[in-house]
Amino acid sequence: MANAKKKNTARRGNNEGCIYYRENEKRWAASVTLGYDDDGKRIRKVIYGKTRSEVAVKMTTLLGTKLKGGHASVKNDTLQVLMHQWIITFKRAEVSPRTFERILSNAKNHIYPEIGNMKLDEITDTIIQSLLNRMLFAGYALATVRKVKFTLNQFFAYAKKSKFVDSNPVAECKVKSTKEHKEKKDDDYKAIPIDVRKQFFEVISNHPFFEPLCMVQLFGGMRIGEVLAIKWKDFDFVNDVIVIDNAITQIPEFDADFNVIGRKTVISDTKTCASVREVPMPAMLKKSLLRWKENREKRQALTGISFTAPDDLVFSNDDGELRTYYGTRSMFKRLMKKTGLDKYNIHFHSIRHTYSSMLFEAQENPKVIQQLLGHKDVTTTIKTYNSVDRSYFKQATDKLEDKFKK
């Protein structure tokens, strides 16, 4: 028993204290640094609990109290110490587990290695701007750099409010696209190219599972997470309508030191409120789904497992359980490689992009496409989902030429 306890003992980051098991007292304990005295010595406090989790909660509460203590209690602490405590104490309570994991990861990977050892009053706008510039020119995704800036801005706004600093050094910093970012965006045709669509359609038509799954994306515009979470009751075969109000997501599981120790796939709400929607079910998609339902009914008869009841998942695994995104993606990649389509870099989001591109090609109103895709803002629909294939250019110039001749 003692050995098992010792294996669970882990060091926390610098100045965060550590959680450990006291064998002689049969209880967990943690030593927390609360600041420094006039001689520069650390002020420590030891807290106890019956379980490691109990100690972790007490330690988080204690650190939160310290953070509210003002500049005097934190003047000798580094950005890494204070920001880490702020993320764990405050951000964790107001964001989803996945967002919390991303914030923590960005801090550990991009912020702490660069400026983590600096004191808050040493950090200037020039230092922050230089950090963001280095990330941009190192080729990091624009979205990643902006998220790093957003987290820094939130932290320093909090630090200013708590009187740790006099001003927010992030306030005037800018994140702009580099030439490389712009070129990549211009050349990134995300939808399946027009001349490849027929080949792709023929490939999935010969696959009993991916034919209906890809058809739901290709003619329903659904995200893969929405597809894997959909149930038979969400398909109205009488009125030819699909109701989309759920999606799968991965919830990270943390240990007491906030290291990710596992992930669990669950059904949750859609990406945004705007993602809850009803979309029409074209005849081709309806036929595909009914064929798939017949397939599942046959398996149901053989195994005794329910696959077609209203609350059953449409694309469950062979045990009737929820499929994971990564498992489904691996199967899809193998199919693309086997058929030679992997050279076109087709993935699930490409299919959703193809749905929107086909609607734009049909000159559909962008506001209608926005509603069908479940976007909160039509700008996202126009900028991100209106992929421009090179053949568009010839079509446009041909129309101009015809009009000129007339």
Side-chain angles (χ1 to χ4, degrees), residues 177-196:
S177 302
T178 63
K179 180 181 178 183
E180 289 75 14
H181 282 116
K182 291 176 181 177
E183 288 176 347
K184 184 179 184 300
K185 186 174 181 180
D186 291 340
D187 292 337
D188 189 12
Y189 178 54
K190 296 178 181 179
I192 302 173
I194 294 175
D195 56 351
V196 180

Side-chain angles (χ1 to χ4, degrees), residues 315-373:
F315 297 104
S316 66
N317 61 25
D318 289 339
D319 294 326
E321 302 296 327
L322 181 67
R323 287 182 183 271
T324 66
Y325 165 73
Y326 293 105
T328 310
R329 184 184 65 175
S330 296
M331 291 170 56
F332 185 73
K333 281 186 172 181
R334 289 197 294 271
L335 177 63
M336 293 296 99
K337 186 174 182 179
K338 180 181 178 181
T339 57
L341 288 176
D342 55 328
K343 62 185 176 184
Y344 299 111
N345 192 31
I346 299 173
H347 44 79
F348 288 130
H349 217 56
S350 303
I351 306 173
R352 177 169 152 86
H353 273 277
T354 305
Y355 171 78
S356 64
S357 290
M358 290 191 298
L359 291 172
F360 275 110
E361 289 162 16
Q363 299 183 349
E364 185 54 79
N365 188 321
K367 289 292 291 182
V368 173
I369 303 175
Q370 174 200 354
Q371 297 295 320
L372 292 172
L373 290 171

